[in-house]
Amino acid sequence: MSEAGVGSSKSRAVERVSSTTRASASRRALGFDTVAGMNRWPALLAAAAVLVGCAGPTPRDPAVVAAIETGAERYAAERRQREDESLQTFIERFEAVARGETPDNTFDALLFSGGAEWGAFGAGYTAQWAELGEAAAVPMPAFDFIGGISTGALMAAYVASGKSERYASLEEFYRNVSPDWIEMRPLLSLLSKRTISLVDNEGVREQVAMAVDDALITDLRQAHAEGLQVAVGTVNLDYGGRRYWDVAKIAAENPEPKERIVDVLMAATSIAGVFPPVEIDGALYGDLGYVEGIPAFQGRGLPAFEELWRQRNGDTLPPLMRLWLVYNIAIGVVPEPVELSLVPIALSGYDALVQATFTNPVNTALLLERVTAETRTPEIEVRWIGIPPDFEPPEDSVPFDPKTANPLADIGREMARLPDGGWRRDPPD
């Protein structure tokens, strides 16, 4: 990443680093500081587990429980069918690109990571990118696939139309986040069997419901009509597997899709234990960020793509696929001595896990780029951006705080104006 103008110099970062910088960068970006001080959240979760364990679990519908316990084969079959349908749509869009029926001669996928209010970075970047138009260092293509995890789920849905005003509205949404959107539950409430999370995020749901208006649903329907998939990642907590939802397809196939779209977007942002899971069709869903930090290849991946492409197109090579990865977290680690104490050691290990969750997909994609340069099934190019590792939110900031979101949106805008657009094609540091 270019160092000009975005404060990414590692020497300055080391000089400025505090004893909590690395911890706050990872955990705040995932929303884990929503319990008012991340040095306390593991203890609170442990206390919650003990208290709720004593009180007994929240009861679920026995019929639903029975269906889950006996439904492994059905679940696997349904998952396989969804993957086949998604792959079919994916191939058809590739074929449309190959026939010259889309604005570009490349297949372009825009992928957003999680990051809670740190999504302001990606929102600011893409808004500026869209505004620059052909004057951008790397002009924004017409995207053929859009995906998001956690906060990136809302971002993906919002920009599906490709309209510049949508990118501007997304940035406005993040610049106006509020701590009032969430509320920490009283510790004593954990004694209740009905308590399923540390934080009440009903305020977030209200904001998401307002964002999913008639205009957005119309945009999603149009995107589906044009063959665009808008994939939102969640994890099925009952079966332990990832589940991607095409919210453009949901909009197109349902006369009243708003509630289901809001459910899916809320599930995508529901960090297990911190925010309540969302029940959809009898199963509980939560944030996929525990599993992968940014959308990865779905289903059976490139081998299945290659097989189906050859069945349909013979030896004709597919178009070039460009992956545009937008990381709404600080990528990279600033050196920091770890205090010899239980909690700091445990949290340092957790931070390393978070970094791996987010950086492994880009490393895998870069490896595939090298492999597919030879096989061209399809050939892949990878570009990614992320928040500079030395970014520090204000000391007095709280979750969903504009004091954090607005500087991040500004950083995103500044990065989009760099001579190279800030895009990196090398592995993360």
Side-chain angles (χ1 to χ4, degrees):
M1 183 183 299
S2 173
E3 296 183 359
V6 294
S8 56
S9 168
K10 285 189 177 180
S11 61
R12 284 190 291 109
V14 172
E15 291 171 1
R16 292 169 52 198
V17 71
S18 70
S19 63
T20 59
T21 298
R22 186 174 70 210
S24 65
S26 296
R27 291 191 292 279
R28 287 191 182 188
L30 283 177
F32 282 127
D33 61 345
T34 53
V35 291
M38 283 324 302
N39 287 338
R40 290 165 47 203
W41 87 263
L44 286 173
L45 282 176
V50 172
L51 292 172
V52 174
C54 294
T58 300
R60 296 179 67 180
D61 185 334
V64 170
V65 172
I68 292 170
E69 291 176 342
T70 61
E73 291 185 5
R74 183 189 70 253
Y75 171 79
E78 291 174 350
R79 178 174 178 174
R80 179 69 176 246
Q81 181 180 353
R82 288 194 302 269
E83 291 174 352
D84 288 344
E85 292 174 353
S86 176
L87 179 60
Q88 178 83 10
T89 303
F90 202 65
I91 290 282
E92 289 173 354
R93 183 71 176 189
F94 257 92
E95 292 170 340
V97 174
R99 293 191 299 266
E101 297 173 2
T102 61
D104 303 301
N105 61 1
T106 54
F107 185 100
D108 291 281
L110 177 63
L111 307 175
F112 293 104
S113 83
E117 71 270 24
W118 288 40
F121 164 76
Y125 185 97
T126 52
Q128 180 69 82
W129 192 16
E131 290 171 15
L132 288 170
E134 292 300 316
V138 182
M140 178 183 284
F143 293 107
D144 303 284
F145 182 97
I146 301 178
I149 287 174
S150 196
T151 200
L154 178 63
M155 302 175 78
Y158 224 70
V159 304
S161 70
K163 300 174 182 175
S164 58
E165 58 266 31
R166 277 295 181 194
Y167 289 97
S169 296
L170 180 67
E171 181 184 13
E172 182 180 3
F173 177 91
Y174 279 94
R175 285 188 180 274
N176 289 283
V177 295
S178 171
D180 294 337
W181 291 5
I182 59 173
E183 182 179 0
M184 177 66 187
R185 302 186 195 277
L187 186 59
L188 288 179
S189 72
L190 300 178
L191 291 169
S192 170
K193 292 195 299 182
R194 298 185 181 278
T195 300
I196 56 176
S197 67
L198 293 176
V199 177
D200 180 349
N201 62 348
E202 188 59 31
V204 176
R205 186 181 185 92
E206 292 174 0
Q207 296 299 319
V208 171
M210 286 191 288
V212 182
D213 55 15
D214 290 343
L216 180 61
I217 291 172
T218 298
D219 286 345
L220 290 171
R221 286 171 172 162
Q222 181 61 35
H224 179 74
E226 296 172 358
L228 179 69
Q229 291 186 74
V230 182
V232 169
T234 64
V235 61
N236 185 316
L237 298 173
D238 290 309
Y239 289 99
R242 61 174 59 83
R243 168 77 186 268
Y244 278 93
W245 307 77
D246 183 353
V247 291
K249 183 178 181 181
I250 293 174
E253 295 183 349
N254 293 273
E256 300 291 338
K258 177 170 181 170
E259 183 175 356
R260 190 169 184 85
I261 292 173
V262 171
D263 281 345
V264 168
L265 295 178
M266 288 303 299
T269 61
S270 293
I271 304 168
V274 178
F275 298 131
V278 179
E279 183 172 340
I280 305 175
D281 300 334
L284 295 180
Y285 290 90
D287 192 327
L288 186 58
Y290 278 127
V291 181
E292 55 195 28
I294 203 163
F297 287 101
Q298 300 176 49
R300 296 178 298 285
L302 287 180
F305 175 94
E306 180 180 4
E307 180 181 357
L308 184 57
W309 177 268
R310 291 188 183 280
Q311 288 176 8
R312 295 169 60 101
N313 300 282
D315 293 331
T316 302
L317 293 175
L320 171 70
M321 178 165 66
R322 298 189 296 184
L323 302 180
W324 306 83
L325 281 59
V326 178
Y327 280 100
N328 296 302
I329 71 160
I331 295 293
V333 175
V334 175
E336 173 191 343
V338 177
E339 180 183 338
L340 289 176
S341 181
L342 173 61
V343 171
I345 291 172
L347 293 181
S348 179
Y350 169 77
D351 293 330
L353 175 62
V354 169
Q355 283 289 321
T357 300
F358 278 78
T359 57
N360 283 347
V362 71
N363 286 324
T364 300
L366 288 167
L367 176 61
L368 288 174
E369 179 179 84
R370 297 181 63 181
V371 171
T372 59
E374 300 293 332
T375 63
R376 301 186 66 185
T377 54
E379 185 177 359
I380 296 173
E381 285 185 2
V382 180
R383 292 169 174 81
W384 67 275
I385 55 171
I387 297 170
D390 64 338
F391 172 76
E392 296 180 39
E395 288 293 331
D396 62 344
S397 65
V398 295
F400 293 90
D401 196 329
K403 293 197 299 290
T404 298
N406 280 285
L408 285 168
D410 293 339
I411 289 172
R413 280 187 164 271
E414 190 174 350
M415 190 178 293
R417 295 193 296 267
L418 292 175
D420 58 0
W423 293 105
R424 292 181 56 171
R425 301 200 59 197
D426 59 321
D429 296 330

